[in-house]
Amino acid sequence: MSGRSVSSRQKNGFTPVKRQVLLYLFFLAPFVFDLTAGVMGNLGPDPAHYCLHDFGRYAIRFLLLSLAITPLKRFAGVDLMLWRRPLGLLAFTYAALHIFFYVVVIRHVDTHVLWRDVTTRPFLIFGLLTFLILLPLALTSTRKTIKALGRWWRPLHRLVYGAAILASIHYMIAFKTWHVQPFVYAALVCIFLSFRLIRKGRTPRRA
Amino acid sequence: MTVYRYPRPAPSEITPRHLFLSRRKMIASAAMGVVAAGVSPYSALAAEAGQIDGRGWPAPDKPTSLNDITHYNNFYEFGTDKSDPEALSGDFVSRPWRVQVDGLVDHPKVWDIDELIRQFGQQDRLYRMRCVEAWSMVIPWNGFELGALLRAVSPKSEARYVAFTSVVRPEQMPGQRGGAFSLTWPYTEGLRLDEAMHPLTILATGVYGQTMPAQNGAPVRLVVPWKYGFKGIKSITRITLTDRQPPASWNVMAPNEYGFYANVNPAVDHPRWSQASEQIIGQGSLFYTARKPTQLFNGYAEQVSGLYKGMDLNKDF
Ligand code: HEM
């Protein structure tokens, strides 16, 4: 993959945009599976919470994967840059689905309860803050907005580091007891972010 | 014929077992076709319970299906996911089983589980089950009053509390082999003696007329319908009468989140979620969960509020 040039990509008919769209659709498979299984009654006694949890996990997974792209290129020479945008957008999409299931399906848009949730309950505050970062990042990831933002695009999108940290905390304290997986994810976030601190003069600056 | 006065079944109004059985037989024979089609005779019971309830809730109370009751469980000894207890309890051996009853009693005794059932019998109790996580079920338990067992061992006058202990069997219970590293094993719970003696408090040994499934707390578990589900300690091995408040697992882990009393109370939120309403498991769909307002003491206020006279339920939650 790393060695592929633009021309070979064009030769087999995959323009960058087409490839990104296909990737995006491919990784929506978990969503389609869950929805199908849920409608058919195969997600157990509480399909709504099943989806809430599953989509939350996919959101943080894709967020993590999007953070792995740059270090992979810089330190392993594997260039998956074209995957970065769809991965980020997938994280946003699954986060939005996750929140939809909480707010609409589970809470019935009960504004009184929801207001108390996001003002008094730490794990939900962390979740909301994460989403408040992911939202503008998703909105500014079209070609047009990237161009319009110019040199501001990069610093803005560095906010994703904050989103990853906040999401890890949300995940860590989402349960009644401590679970192991959130700590594994948090460790990965630390590793991926610490790569950013390493300066390597030889690597080209432009992604 | 006596009917389940649901949702406020006074102990005296619970259908005696023989009536219940005859009704079941009657329903079964009258509706062989329905039964053959795979619909439980309990669905007739459901309709009956539903008719009694008329408060305009989105869905009438009706017994949760056996399938849901046995596939959606919090039993951290088997794992933290709701599906873990069913999926991972295959190795659990619940017979033979001994229950030791001791402490501040005149006649301490160890019972074999089947002796226990023979001695104290089996009643049907259709109870609401309200989990602290804000979901609920309606469960037809089979069991006997804890009070009957306690009377049989004659509590001494100093006895004030009842302590319960579950099992430690990491080789049979995967959740005890790490994973949830917050709770300690064995799981323990406790009640005040007057709560334990209340006729609504039962030791359940079955559900839907079947032997208690492993994931629901085989072979014998506590059911206190006006308290959050975590008070209902499962797979009990020991019941000890004491003069001081015994340790209760969740309360010890996070006293600000799980009170010793843990009475169902819509006015006292869990720090991490609202307790004002509850999701009805087994109703609703993927896109719309069924909810209803939570009631003080889970709808059993008439029977139990006297136990807490003069107590500040916001402080002693
Ligand atoms: C307003 C925003 C959000 C709300 C209201 C929210 C709400 C929730 C709720 C209610 C839970 C379940 C907790 C429980 O089991 O008691 C949860 C879990 C979770 N959330 Fe969120 N969340 C939000 C944003 C996010 C975002 C942006 C992400 C990821 C990028 C995320 C990832 C997760 C994960 C991974 C879990 C644990 C799922 C599991 O393994 O069971 N959440 N969230």
Side-chain angles (χ1 to χ4, degrees):
Chain A
M1 197 86 202
S2 59
R4 263 195 202 170
S5 68
V6 174
S7 61
S8 80
R9 245 185 275 125
Q10 281 164 347
K11 229 184 279 162
N12 60 31
F14 284 114
T15 62
V17 173
K18 235 191 218 164
R19 178 190 294 252
Q20 294 202 10
V21 170
L22 280 176
L23 253 169
Y24 193 81
L25 291 178
F26 177 72
F27 283 115
L28 281 175
F31 166 67
V32 176
F33 282 148
D34 278 4
L35 225 58
T36 315
V39 167
M40 289 171 54
N42 294 334
L43 290 186
D46 188 0
H49 272 90
Y50 185 97
C51 285
L52 170 80
H53 288 242
D54 215 25
F55 296 158
R57 282 189 298 263
Y58 275 109
I60 198 165
R61 279 174 199 151
F62 283 117
L63 193 56
L64 235 77
L65 287 175
S66 74
L67 285 177
I69 301 300
T70 304
L72 263 180
K73 185 175 176 192
R74 279 186 66 196
F75 300 100
V78 183
D79 184 359
L80 300 176
M81 267 310 157
L82 284 171
W83 296 42
R84 197 171 64 175
R85 176 167 41 182
L87 289 173
L89 284 173
L90 282 160
F92 169 76
T93 307
Y94 278 102
L97 287 166
H98 173 69
I99 293 164
F100 171 82
F101 268 84
Y102 184 70
V103 171
V104 179
V105 179
I106 292 168
R107 284 288 162 207
H108 300 179
V109 204
D110 181 336
T111 46
H112 180 73
V113 167
L114 290 169
W115 179 251
R116 275 186 65 85
D117 277 352
V118 297
T119 51
T120 64
R121 311 193 199 283
F123 91 101
L124 290 174
I125 295 170
F126 282 108
L128 179 63
L129 291 176
T130 311
F131 190 69
L132 289 180
I133 292 179
L134 293 182
L135 181 66
L137 299 195
L139 293 178
T140 56
S141 59
T142 61
R143 265 195 219 185
K144 238 189 177 159
T145 49
I146 295 173
K147 239 191 220 139
L149 279 167
R151 64 191 191 86
W152 291 106
W153 188 87
R154 274 167 151 272
L156 176 68
H157 278 248
R158 288 220 171 96
L159 284 175
V160 74
Y161 306 157
I165 293 167
L166 292 169
S168 309
I169 300 173
H170 171 68
Y171 191 13
M172 226 179 264
I173 61 177
F175 307 103
K176 288 162 43 186
T177 55
W178 298 113
H179 286 202
V180 177
Q181 297 95 314
F183 286 90
V184 175
Y185 279 79
L188 287 173
V189 167
C190 291
I191 292 170
F192 291 164
L193 292 189
S194 56
F195 277 129
R196 265 83 182 172
L197 301 174
I198 304 170
R199 298 238 169 265
K200 225 173 147 192
R202 289 179 295 115
T203 4
R205 277 187 50 103
R206 295 244 47 200
Chain B
M1 185 165 61
T2 327
V3 294
Y4 281 98
R5 278 295 173 82
Y6 198 77
R8 293 193 176 169
S12 56
E13 289 167 344
I14 301 293
T15 312
R17 182 163 175 81
H18 66 277
L19 274 184
F20 181 70
L21 288 178
S22 69
R23 179 171 56 199
R24 250 199 288 181
K25 226 179 285 164
M26 185 190 75
I27 294 167
S29 53
M32 279 306 273
V34 181
V35 177
V39 179
S40 151
Y42 278 90
S43 52
L45 235 187
E48 204 173 85
Q51 280 156 18
I52 295 162
D53 181 56
R55 274 166 295 183
W57 285 352
D61 282 328
K62 60 177 188 185
T64 309
S65 73
L66 180 61
N67 188 61
D68 287 353
I69 292 172
T70 53
H71 288 76
Y72 194 81
N73 307 95
N74 275 328
F75 198 166
Y76 280 26
E77 283 86 334
F78 293 115
T80 53
D81 199 89
K82 299 279 185 298
S83 59
D84 286 343
E86 191 274 333
L88 305 176
S89 60
D91 294 336
F92 188 66
V93 180
S94 60
R95 266 176 176 80
W97 189 274
R98 286 143 62 90
V99 182
Q100 179 177 349
V101 186
D102 59 8
L104 298 173
V105 298
D106 288 332
H107 311 292
K109 187 172 167 170
V110 178
W111 269 277
D112 168 74
I113 181 65
D114 292 309
E115 271 173 50
L116 199 67
I117 293 171
R118 255 196 309 279
Q119 182 170 344
F120 296 101
Q122 295 269 276
Q123 300 174 30
D124 296 294
R125 296 287 179 104
L126 182 63
Y127 281 164
R128 300 148 171 261
M129 214 293 296
R130 170 62 157 78
C131 178
V132 72
E133 296 167 353
W135 53 264
S136 68
M137 294 184 178
V138 176
I139 306 182
W141 298 110
N142 318 105
F144 54 87
E145 289 178 16
L146 174 61
L149 173 73
L150 295 179
R151 276 189 292 275
V153 293
S154 311
K156 292 184 194 296
S157 58
E158 317 90 87
R160 288 282 173 277
Y161 292 91
V162 184
F164 304 85
T165 310
S166 187
V167 277
V168 186
R169 290 186 186 172
E171 70 289 358
Q172 294 178 13
M173 306 178 111
Q176 291 183 337
R177 306 199 284 259
F181 44 95
S182 312
L183 290 173
T184 49
W185 316 115
Y187 194 96
T188 61
E189 258 304 339
L191 293 173
R192 239 170 38 193
L193 185 57
D194 58 346
E195 297 175 321
M197 296 298 291
H198 194 283
L200 280 173
T201 305
I202 61 166
L203 288 180
T205 52
V207 58
Y208 268 105
Q210 303 187 4
T211 307
M212 188 69 76
Q215 62 267 37
N216 294 86
V220 57
R221 61 166 294 167
L222 181 66
V223 177
V224 194
W226 70 91
K227 292 177 181 286
Y228 291 122
F230 68 86
K231 291 297 285 184
I233 182 172
K234 303 183 177 88
S235 307
I236 297 170
T237 57
R238 188 170 177 194
I239 299 173
T240 307
L241 284 94
T242 71
D243 55 358
R244 68 197 65 167
Q245 186 175 305
S249 287
W250 286 96
N251 177 243
V252 168
M253 189 201 92
N256 60 325
E257 297 182 37
Y258 312 96
F260 174 78
Y261 287 96
N263 291 318
V264 175
N265 188 345
V268 178
D269 275 2
H270 184 280
R272 297 167 67 252
W273 56 82
S274 164
Q275 295 290 31
S277 70
E278 64 207 46
Q279 184 185 336
I280 309 163
I281 297 302
Q283 297 183 25
S285 69
L286 174 62
F287 297 114
Y288 195 81
T289 56
R291 302 194 75 89
K292 65 181 184 188
T294 290
Q295 292 177 278
L296 183 60
F297 296 118
N298 205 20
Y300 300 95
E302 212 173 279
Q303 286 77 33
V304 303
S305 55
L307 295 170
Y308 308 103
K309 227 177 259 155
M311 259 174 61
D312 181 354
L313 296 177
N314 288 294
K315 215 170 107 266
D316 288 314
F317 57 87

